[in-house]
């Protein structure tokens, strides 16, 4: 399929999968992995481009509909998963704020049940659902946008050579925007979950929070939130893409394009779970800071470090967060890619584009 400008270069499609349409390669390509179509036009060596995969009635890669689909997928993957693990999040936050009372995961659930009953396990679910839906929309939608944008800036050869740098830059850029959307909801959520009696939820908690600390108080935790979420998201996307690439390269004997959709989605979940464990470790100190600052009025980062301690920043509540974030991230990638597949898009991740770059250079 013909494209109108160099801005629609196809290199980013290599960052998604190894499957190429029959129109992508000229006849006589020396790489036996790819076959050429008799109808394929000979490439222009000075401006060689491969069109993004597209099927009749399906969404075209990197079109406005593509980014809209990724945004919806992000809403579903982040909003629903975070809401589902609200009980774990409640115990985790309270272990960070009051470790003398919530001494362990099991005792934390016991204390919560004894004091607040079953309803207490889902306190703060509305700001969780809305906040992380907004964050997911920006996180995944803008990640796909920035990954394509930075790949175009780098050019085909550099995009293949420095793909991990592109994953890191694209995810960091997206998360800066996503956290601005999340921060007000996160502030109210933490206050509702860690201060019983403060409010029932978002509807009464938000105005009460604003009356107490002003509208800007909702963004008091933005910098620590960036400190938690940007490293988390960089690890989440870059490690996921790398892990999935390694799975298809070393653990699965058939090319990704020949794997069934359920198997591809299974790879997405497995890659996401491992990536989530790494994310939890990298971002945990900042997570403790966010919980402390949003719970204590007028508190500073220095106050948090003094009370929690440097070791506590890295370890307090970490086992529970590893379980929570590992499961959460695996489920998010599974849901996100399942939605992409449902609208005719490829799953995320694949074999390293570096293996293709030399062949393109010979074309």
């Amino acid at each position: 399929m013909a494209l109108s400008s160099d801005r629609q270069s196809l290199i980013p499609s290599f960052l998604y999968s190894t499957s190429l349409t029959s129109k992508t390669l000229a006849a006589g390509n020396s790489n036996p992995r790819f076959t050429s179509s008799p109808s394929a036009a000979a490439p222009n060596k000075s401006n060689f481009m491969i069109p993004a995969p597209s099927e009749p009635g399906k969404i075209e890669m990197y079109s406005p509909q593509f980014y809209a689909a990724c945004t919806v997928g992000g809403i579903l993957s982040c909003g629903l998963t975070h809401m589902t693990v609200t009980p774990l999040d409640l115990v985790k936050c309270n272990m960070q704020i009051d470790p003398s009372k919530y001494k362990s995961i099991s005792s934390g659930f016991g204390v919560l049940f004894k004091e607040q009953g079953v309803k207490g396990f889902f306190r703060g679910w509305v700001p969780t659902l809305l906040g992380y839906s907004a964050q997911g929309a920006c996180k995944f939608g803008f990640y796909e946008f920035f990954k394509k944008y930075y790949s175009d800036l780098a050019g085909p050869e550099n995009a293949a050579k420095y793909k991990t740098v592109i994953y890191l830059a694209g995810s960091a850029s997206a998360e800066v925007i996503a956290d601005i959307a999340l921060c007000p909801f996160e502030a109210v959520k933490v206050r509702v979950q860690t201060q019983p009696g403060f409010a029932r939820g978002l509807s009464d908690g938000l105005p009460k929070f604003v009356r107490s600390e002003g509208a800007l108080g909702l963004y008091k935790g933005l910098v620590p939130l960036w400190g938690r979420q940007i490293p988390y998201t960089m690890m989440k996307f870059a490690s996921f893409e790398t892990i999935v690439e390694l799975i298809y390269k070393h653990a699965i004997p058939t090319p990704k394009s020949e794997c069934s959709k359920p198997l591809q989605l299974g790879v997405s979940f497995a890659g996401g779970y491992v990536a989530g464990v790494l994310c939890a470790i990298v971002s945990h100190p900042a997570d403790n800071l966010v919980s402390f600052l949003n719970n204590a009025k007028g508190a500073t980062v220095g106050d948090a470090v003094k009370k929690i301690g440097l070791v506590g920043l890295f370890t307090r509540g970490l086992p529970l967060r590893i379980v929570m974030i590992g499961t959460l991230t695996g489920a998010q990638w599974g849901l996100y890619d399942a939605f992409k597949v449902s609208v005719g898009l490829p799953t995320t991740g694949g074999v390293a584009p570096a293996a293709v770059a030399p062949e393109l250079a010979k074309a």
Side-chain angles (χ1 to χ4, degrees), residues 36-55:
S36 59
S37 168
S39 61
N44 180 347
K45 292 185 179 181
S46 64
N47 187 25
F48 183 77
M49 293 192 304
I50 306 175
S54 179
E55 299 177 32

Side-chain angles (χ1 to χ4, degrees), residues 96-169:
Q96 292 171 331
I97 297 303
D98 192 358
S100 61
K101 183 177 181 180
Y102 296 85
K103 297 179 181 180
S104 66
I105 297 173
S106 57
S107 67
F109 276 108
V111 170
L112 199 62
F113 179 75
K114 182 178 180 180
E115 293 187 350
Q116 302 178 40
V118 176
K119 288 185 177 180
F121 288 122
F122 288 92
R123 195 170 72 250
W125 72 269
V126 174
T128 298
L129 174 63
L130 296 181
Y132 283 95
S133 292
Q135 186 210 38
C138 298
K139 185 198 297 277
F140 283 91
F142 279 109
Y143 172 68
E144 301 287 3
F145 170 80
F146 283 118
K147 184 165 69 170
K148 173 72 164 70
Y149 179 72
Y150 292 145
S151 294
D152 287 345
L153 287 180
E157 183 177 350
N158 287 329
K161 186 176 181 180
Y162 300 107
K163 61 185 184 299
T164 302
V165 175
I166 289 174
Y167 300 150
L168 293 170

Side-chain angles (χ1 to χ4, degrees), residues 91-99 102 104-105 316-317 320:
V91 175
K92 185 265 298 180
C93 286
N94 280 287
M95 286 176 67
Q96 292 171 331
I97 297 303
D98 192 358
Y102 296 85
S104 66
I105 297 173
R316 183 180 291 181
L320 177 56

Side-chain angles (χ1 to χ4, degrees), residues 47-90:
N47 187 25
F48 183 77
M49 293 192 304
I50 306 175
S54 179
E55 299 177 32
K58 297 295 179 71
I59 295 175
E60 180 183 345
M61 293 289 286
Y62 314 118
S63 65
Q65 292 78 15
F66 166 76
Y67 293 116
C70 293
T71 299
V72 173
I75 291 172
L76 296 174
S77 68
C78 290
L80 294 178
T81 52
H82 276 277
M83 183 187 70
T84 301
V85 298
T86 295
L88 284 172
D89 191 38
L90 259 167

